[in-house]
Amino acid sequence: MTVRRVIAVAFLTLGFLCLAGPASAHPLGNFTVNRYTGILVSPDGLLLDHVVDLAEIPTAQLGNRLHDLQRLGAEECASIRTDLQVNVSGARLPLTLESSGASTRPGQGGLPITRISCRFAGDVRLSRGTADISFVDQSSPGTIGWREVTAIGNRMQLVHSDVPTTSTSDRLRHYPTNLLKSPLSVNTAHLSVEPGGPPASLPDTGSAPTARPAAGLVGETSRLLNNGGTFAAMAAVLLALVLGASHALAPGHGKTVMAFYLSQRGSSGSSRRSSVGSALAVGATVTASHTGSVLALGVLVSVSTQVVPSELYPWLSLLTGLLILGLGLSLVSSSRRASAAGHGHGHGHGHRHGGGHGLDHDHDHEHGHPHDHSDSHPEVAAAPAATATLLLDPPRTEEAHVVPVVVSATPSRRAGLWVMGLVGGLVPSPSALLLLLAAVALGRAWLGVVLVVAFGVGMACTLAGVGILARDLLLRVESLALRRGRMGAHVRRFLAYGAAAGVCAVGVGVILRAVLVR
Amino acid sequence: MWKYLVALAVAMVLAVSGGIGFVHSRDDGSPVTAPASAREVPLGAQQNLAGVIDALQVRLQELPEDAESWAALGLSYVEQARVDGNPQYYPKAQGAIERSLSVQPTDNADGLAARAALESARHHFAAALHSARQSLRINPRDRTALAIRVDALAELGRYTDELKALRLADNRQPGIPVVARYSYAYELRGHLDKALHLLLRSAKSGSRADQAYLLTLAADLQRRTGHPDAAMRSLHLALRSTPGYVPALASRARLAVAQGNLHIAVHRWRDVAARLPLPEYLTELGELYLDLGHRAQAARQFAVVGTTVRLFDAAGVDTDLEAALFDADHGVEHRALVNARDEWQRRHSVLVADSLAWALHMNGHDRAALRMSDKATHLGTRDARMWMHRGQIEAALGLDAAARRDLRLGLSLDPGVSPWQADRAREVLRQVVGR
């Protein structure tokens, strides 16, 4: 585990975000065992790059051996070594195992699939004259799957070769879907080589599967899980944090909502601390609800064979939509109350910091409501907030957690906080679920739970951080607008109703989509 | 004048380039033979399948708008998948068939027949029947469609219609495919000798790939009718024509069980399971381990089957009948019932009825199980497991005389049946005889 690898993995994360989706079936069928051998002919010997790609069922056949991937790789490669026959000018070339590795990644139904990579070397002097090389892969005869051999020369020329120089499957990462090509079934090669030609090397032979970034990252995390050491476990947790943090950066996570919510928490500079506190509180609720929903779904999926996650998502988004709609409706009613009260500062007063409240309430409750200057500030801030949210954060994915903008208008602040957290974390992220299932598949469920918590914390950090930043910006704009001119009461009321209606509309939209997608 | 010259020049260029194009496509040689052979591919081909596929691929690179060749290629892929049990060909078959039907959306009997074959191979029998009928409406003599209609009707449990379709196919396109299907019809109705005779006859004239397929079916019948040596010979021939043909290897393992060589059987089943880990193979291996007292080894096999069933569920694949039987015996009994009922909704074949009867019994619904078992056995199919199941259901209901008769019958039908299943039936028989 090098530092560079960690960095590479972190970068992969970005790709992961874009591509994370339901894991799909192995492209070649669940029963296949696919093998590739790349031969590099150099003047001082041969290098063989051998890759085995096991689909879901053959992986399941490995059973307990999956729990120790390093050992699995070493054992498999050792047995493959005796099955690869290389003859140079008629004499059998002894091979030595240079490196081995195995990794898993989730395939169909969250089940792991396995990739084993081995590198073998055989020393032989080829610098004089022409030599004939023949290669036969006799490993696992009769298994069904893709079989491919390639050969290239390094300062050697392949005068004759019956195999191509490059892998059409990108070393078992992308199987061609061309309808006019039969699946490859090549397990032999015959080469004539002589010295000369440009230098070359084998393609990168890292053991991490990189077919899809999603796969690569989870595979990497699984590998870390398998290492067993404390460092590896910590690295995996860090990775999950990064994953969560960057996951929340993707569009549709209600960051703007968070910003406007926080702007409600205290619009004057004096209460900066409390708004940071609120940010932490909301972050905590997001983490808690997300962790809870991932764990619940994970338990359901592992315990019951009838639960298919993709069937649950629409229901969860439906629930999210209902929550948003509820918020919107309460907003409408409070706007009406506010306008009935005249200048729209008739809300929230009852909740001002009072005796007998616990410490939390410092966060949950408003101190800095600026009643001292310019009446009904909250609504001024609130109304454009909701409108802006609608523009910035259309419900793009099932995870779209938009809107509970004017939470301050709900009867209970604390309830608003929890609704906020629920809306943000109710729909579990598929990536977190994958992490959990991968950990469970590897027999380390507890670490999976830790990873999911870390994932949630990462998400919350991003949401809160972005929220606080945006809040400052918003407050600055707001005070500028107030200094410049006065907004009429009509505009204010219009905006308040518009926001409420908008929140309702988004809620209805999410509900409709959840219903229609089903 | 000038205009005429230009026109003449253009005409000449066109003629020459057209001519070159013509010669070029002729020069390739193999494509020309492809369409002719393509018609012969369907089910019971004379040619070497791989050669046909190569030729069609080359031809379609030249002429990508040839609907007939696309259909033939799709059908060849289906055949290839069946011949060596390689599911990698199914997505390709689907792509080729869709291509054929989009190039020529109307009057494409070949494309529809190929689609019927693919759907049948994927066990979507209702869809297969529909496509076959569509194809026959365009071309009533389409060989593939005639054969697939017979298969689909049998699998859907419409046995009277199956016989009618079979006679029609025999009138319109007699040949090996029809003979092989007559054989299966006899087998279903308990006439194993006639079935065997037909299989051996068609194996003599079939292609190499079909030989392995037909001889393996024949070997199973030979084992069941008490001719293990003949079965051994058939399997030897089958494996000579297609080395590593997995169903033949599985049949060889069952033969070892029939001959009482359980350790050889374990060895052979392990080989089969390593090559193609189908649920039914793994279950038989696991049951063999159970019988030999290797519980941990058995549990490992069953764990893999459980995983497979979960995978099929997740993918929305219709769960195999074997998987439902597995669940009833070694897995989640409730799930077995759900899956068997689903399958019964889709089709009413005797084998589905047997699975459902057994799942009902394992879930404690013995009366319903017996009613379902009536449906399973109404053709008189001489299937060992079916009768052992029936006997155990009757024993549970206290119908001792019937239970004794049916358990004895079941135990006599196939010496190669899983010894664990046989032991369980024998145990029930002992109890029934004792009371």
Side-chain angles (χ1 to χ4, degrees), chain A residues 77-432:
Chain A
C77 291
S79 91
I80 289 166
R81 189 182 69 86
T82 58
D83 292 329
L84 301 184
Q85 272 195 28
V86 184
N87 285 313
V88 177
S89 304
R92 172 100 188 238
L93 179 69
L95 295 175
T96 53
L97 177 60
E98 298 245 296
S99 67
S100 65
S103 61
T104 59
R105 63 185 171 95
Q108 197 171 17
L111 296 171
I113 61 179
T114 315
R115 185 178 175 92
I116 296 167
S117 315
C118 322
R119 201 182 261 240
F120 304 101
D123 291 337
V124 58
R125 294 211 67 74
L126 295 168
S127 45
R128 264 165 289 157
T130 313
D132 289 327
I133 299 173
S134 71
F135 165 81
V136 190
D137 173 4
Q138 292 175 321
S139 54
S140 51
T143 52
I144 280 159
W146 185 273
R147 284 189 163 234
E148 186 180 7
V149 182
T150 65
I152 48 171
N154 168 34
R155 297 179 200 285
M156 296 289 290
Q157 275 181 331
L158 306 187
V159 188
H160 165 81
S161 166
D162 59 0
V163 293
T165 54
T166 54
S167 164
T168 50
S169 68
D170 187 18
R171 300 174 64 247
L172 310 184
R173 285 185 177 119
H174 306 281
Y175 297 97
T177 49
N178 187 345
L179 296 176
L180 295 179
K181 292 268 190 296
S182 298
L184 275 186
S185 179
V186 177
N187 66 343
T188 60
H190 298 93
L191 318 168
S192 294
V193 299
E194 58 184 39
S201 64
L202 284 172
D204 166 51
T205 51
S207 66
T210 47
R212 284 167 295 159
L217 192 74
V218 177
E220 195 62 34
T221 317
S222 315
R223 220 177 62 77
L224 286 173
L225 290 180
N226 254 291
N227 267 355
T230 329
F231 174 71
M234 273 167 59
V237 169
L238 275 178
L239 210 64
L241 257 173
V242 173
L243 254 175
S246 39
H247 177 73
L249 273 179
H253 277 86
K255 288 173 292 294
T256 39
V257 179
M258 181 69 100
F260 298 125
Y261 178 76
L262 290 179
S263 74
Q264 297 299 297
R265 301 272 97 198
S267 14
S268 72
S270 67
S271 60
R272 192 186 189 91
R273 259 211 345 250
S274 88
S275 83
V276 170
S278 313
L280 290 178
V282 177
T285 60
V286 171
T287 308
S289 66
H290 183 260
T291 308
S293 66
V294 171
L295 288 184
L297 195 56
V299 167
L300 275 179
V301 169
S302 326
V303 168
S304 163
T305 47
Q306 312 281 337
V307 175
V308 180
S310 56
E311 282 176 2
L312 279 178
Y313 282 115
W315 291 107
L316 289 174
S317 359
L318 184 69
L319 197 56
T320 307
L322 286 173
L323 280 174
I324 296 175
L325 184 62
L327 274 171
L329 289 178
S330 76
L331 197 56
V332 170
S333 74
S334 72
S335 295
R336 184 174 297 166
R337 253 185 284 124
S339 55
H343 276 292
H345 57 155
H347 61 85
H349 288 246
H351 293 273
R352 289 208 51 179
H353 201 61
H357 289 297
L359 247 179
D360 293 359
H361 289 225
D362 284 334
H363 309 311
D364 296 357
H365 283 243
E366 197 76 37
H367 311 231
H369 243 337
H371 296 275
D372 33 345
H373 59 104
S374 124
D375 51 3
S376 75
H377 239 212
E379 229 120 52
V380 176
T387 332
T389 305
L390 292 174
L391 294 175
L392 291 175
D393 259 355
R396 253 174 272 204
T397 67
E398 273 83 357
E399 298 176 63
H401 330 299
V402 206
V403 170
V405 179
V406 194
V407 182
S408 60
T410 54
S412 157
R413 294 279 153 73
R414 173 167 276 198
L417 202 66
W418 277 105
V419 170
M420 178 84 199
L422 267 182
V423 168
L426 187 63
V427 179
S429 137
S431 349

Side-chain angles (χ1 to χ4, degrees), chain A residues 8-29:
Chain A
V9 164
F11 274 111
L12 274 178
T13 318
L14 293 170
F16 180 43
L17 294 170
C18 309
L19 296 173
S24 57
H26 192 284
L28 293 185

